[in-house]
Amino acid sequence: MDVQFQFDWQAALDSVPYLLEGIPWTLAISFGGLAIGFVLGILFGLLSLSPSRLLRWIATAYIEIFRGTPVLVQVLFIFYGLPQIIGGPIDALTAGIAAIALNSAAYISEIVRGGVQSIARGQREAGLSLGLSTPQTFRYVIWPQALRRMIPALGNQGIVSIKDTSLFSVIGVGELVRQGQIYIATTFNALETYFMVALLYLVITLSLSFGLRMLERRGLVGQ
């Protein structure tokens, strides 16, 4: 059977205004979750370096649980399962931000641990020899250098988290994919609409990648 199909560029362009309505939701979930995840990631990353075995175990358990389970399962648990525990509903936006925060924190904590451990021991000794306390040495000597080395990896995690928001259409969040699904339900232009959804995600992630490369070229990140 001879099947002919022609991509309708006009239909693809017509979907753009509607899809753009989902970008604020996508960015709010991804960057809101990443901001919280960064704070949690620092906390668990430092706990994993603690001399206390109990604190290291807590950090390891958290990291392995959230890295070892899919983010889709995590958001479904938060949105559908957690309300049964707390006795009240959780809105889709909050569930999405929480899922990104908890999931990204597990990866960021490993980035933090690796970044801190990459700083030579001599840097700590130099800080102490200058009369700084251990916390001051970490704050003024070790952490600034470690953070600079972590930025590329943190940027990559940001890109992953932005793409992960596409999974949250299952709980009704009005992000890019959800907007595409609603638009397709009325126009039946699935190929053109999903093509534009993919293109918009690509624009967002490439913009972030370009920003990171600019920082690297100016020597603001890395070694």
Side-chain angles (χ1 to χ4, degrees):
M1 181 175 63
D2 185 17
V3 179
Q4 294 184 349
F5 179 82
Q6 184 175 1
F7 188 90
D8 190 343
W9 285 103
Q10 187 58 50
L13 293 175
D14 289 342
S15 69
V16 172
Y18 195 85
L19 295 177
L20 289 177
E21 296 179 12
I23 290 183
W25 291 87
T26 295
L27 297 180
I29 294 172
S30 55
F31 289 113
L34 282 169
I36 300 172
F38 182 66
V39 175
L40 291 176
I42 293 175
L43 173 62
F44 285 101
L46 296 180
L47 287 180
S48 67
L49 296 171
S50 171
S52 169
R53 181 177 299 180
L54 175 61
L55 295 180
R56 291 199 307 271
W57 184 89
I58 292 173
T60 300
Y62 175 87
I63 292 168
E64 294 304 326
I65 289 172
F66 283 95
R67 288 203 310 173
T69 55
V71 66
L72 178 58
V73 174
Q74 293 166 16
V75 75
L76 289 175
F77 175 82
I78 294 171
F79 187 68
Y80 293 110
L82 194 56
Q84 298 181 26
I85 299 175
I86 64 177
I90 297 177
D91 66 87
L93 179 61
T94 301
I97 292 175
I100 290 294
L102 295 173
N103 184 267
S104 64
Y107 291 91
I108 291 173
S109 62
E110 287 293 272
I111 295 173
V112 170
R113 181 180 64 82
V116 172
Q117 289 182 328
S118 71
I119 305 302
R121 183 180 295 272
Q123 295 291 315
R124 178 178 178 276
E125 296 172 351
L128 295 175
S129 67
L130 292 173
L132 298 176
S133 64
T134 298
Q136 289 175 328
T137 299
F138 179 82
R139 178 180 178 182
Y140 296 112
V141 179
I142 297 176
W143 179 250
Q145 298 180 70
L147 181 61
R148 185 176 177 181
R149 296 183 181 184
M150 287 187 275
I151 290 177
L154 291 172
N156 290 334
Q157 181 57 42
I159 291 174
V160 171
S161 295
I162 290 172
K163 293 187 293 184
D164 281 344
T165 61
S166 63
L167 299 172
F168 300 162
S169 60
V170 299
I171 61 173
V173 178
E175 43 71 58
L176 270 173
V177 173
R178 181 61 176 171
Q179 290 296 105
Q181 291 173 340
I182 296 172
Y183 187 77
I184 291 168
T186 59
T187 64
F188 303 102
N189 295 321
L191 178 61
E192 292 85 359
T193 302
Y194 281 131
F195 173 82
M196 295 308 299
V197 168
L199 184 60
L200 288 172
Y201 269 113
L202 187 62
V203 169
I204 295 172
T205 56
L206 285 180
S207 298
L208 183 56
S209 296
F210 178 76
L212 288 172
R213 291 194 182 97
M214 290 296 294
L215 291 176
E216 290 176 357
R217 290 172 183 172
R218 295 182 180 183
L220 299 177
V221 301
Q223 298 294 333

